[in-house]
Amino acid sequence: MFYAITWFLSFMLLALWSLACWGAHAVTVWALSSAGTLANGTSSMDAVLLPEWIRGWIPPQLAQEFASMITTLASVVQAAMDTVPALSGAVSVLAWAIWGLGALVLLAFAVGAHILIAVFKRRKTSSGVHGAAATR
């Protein structure tokens, strides 16, 4: 009975792990493939500036410094956004590698729990035999 519970929980954890990896992979590939639309240059960078409700809480000099920092980094961000869609193939390989390592760890825990249950069961039966022999 304990074997069945252990393996059922292990397979359920493997299913949840697979679902989590698949979801993270899907979101990452979607974000990387749509990153090229954000690479419109400084027009999209101006939209990243501070919202009005935050500007009331920080000094104007800090807001100007932040805006100038964003505009100077626009070329770096533009180059990064241009190369990001090309990375979607590497994300798939990385997702499979991470899923495989996680699956191996879960399988190792399941086998370890199986062995641990067998050891405890054997110990319980061997102590029961010695106890029965000592009472006779």
Side-chain angles (χ1 to χ4, degrees), residues 50 58-67:
L50 295 172
I58 63 172
Q61 295 85 9
L62 183 62
Q64 288 175 348
E65 189 66 34
F66 184 70

Side-chain angles (χ1 to χ4, degrees), residues 1-16 110:
M1 170 98 166
F2 289 120
Y3 294 118
I5 292 171
T6 301
W7 283 103
F8 176 74
L9 290 175
S10 299
F11 285 130
M12 289 304 295
L13 285 174
L14 182 63
L16 288 174

Side-chain angles (χ1 to χ4, degrees), residues 11 18 22 44 48 52-53 58 61-62 65 69 71 94 100 105 121 123 126-127 132 136:
F11 285 130
S18 298
W22 172 76
S44 63
V48 179
E52 291 297 324
W53 63 273
I58 63 172
Q61 295 85 9
L62 183 62
E65 189 66 34
M69 182 178 66
T71 55
L94 184 65
V105 168
K121 203 176 215 185
R123 183 177 290 172
S126 66
S127 67
R136 286 187 181 181

